[in-house]
Structure formats: C-alpha cells, structure tokens
Amino acid sequence: MPPPYDRHVFVCINRRPDGHPRGCCAAKGSEAVRDRLKVVAKNAGLVGRVRINAAGCLDACETGVSVVVYPEGVWYGGVTLDDVDAIVEEHLVSGRPVERLRRESDAAGK
C-alpha cells in the first residue's frame, strides 16, 4: 500500500519558558508559520498529497522556526511567514528544496 501523502511537513511549535537560553520556535512565530503553510498548500492544490502538522520539540529551537519535510528529511531553520510561499512552491510543488533556508548541517548532508 502506498503512503497516504507525497510529503509530510512538521513545524515545531515547542514553547519553552521566557529567557530559556535555547529559545523556542513558538516565540518566533511557528504557529503562524504552520497556519500559513496549511493555507498556501491548500491554495496550491496539495490537499490529500501533502500533510502539514505541528510538532513538539525538533531539538533545533536555536535555529527556529524549525520545519522538516519528509520523506526527503530536509530541515529548514529560521523560517518566517515570508518564506512559506517559497517552501510550498519550490519544495512541495516542484520538489526542489529551498537551499537558502536549509539548516547548515542538513545542507552539508550531515
């Protein structure tokens, strides 16, 4: 049986206490990023092909907002609302990761 989705996108919405040294994605706007990803993906006709989900800590809050796309395992860091259209259009629709948003360790293949 084939997987139910072509791609599965997880957006960290982890919340840590104010002043935590690692920060948290929620304080950097991750819930708004997740919500916008859902809207833009729907508008791009990806309903049923791509699933956008909230995730707990992805252990990358210092690079937050953190987003990971499977099955490719592409990790994005520092994602803002302004980046959502590029992620949907370039990666989710066209299959090309957005290189400028990739976390350094991911871009280096680590």
Side-chain angles (χ1 to χ4, degrees), residues 10-79:
F10 293 94
V11 181
C12 176
I13 61 164
N14 186 52
R15 186 170 301 278
R16 289 194 171 102
D18 291 343
H20 190 283
R22 291 187 65 198
C24 70
C25 290
K28 297 171 185 168
S30 62
E31 291 173 354
V33 167
R34 182 208 52 215
D35 293 346
R36 176 134 175 86
L37 273 165
K38 286 183 174 192
V39 168
V40 175
K42 180 180 179 181
N43 291 344
L46 297 176
V47 172
R49 293 182 44 220
V50 173
R51 177 81 178 170
I52 314 282
N53 279 103
C57 185
L58 295 173
D59 201 26
C61 287
E62 59 276 0
T63 67
V65 169
S66 294
V67 175
V68 61
V69 180
Y70 288 107
E72 297 98 326
V74 172
W75 287 74
Y76 294 120
V79 177

Side-chain angles (χ1 to χ4, degrees), residues 89-106:
E89 292 168 16
E90 294 176 36
H91 193 159
L92 303 182
V93 172
S94 299
R96 293 182 313 271
V98 183
E99 295 299 329
R100 67 179 173 81
L101 296 174
R102 286 179 88 160
R103 287 188 38 213
E104 279 187 37
S105 61
D106 179 57

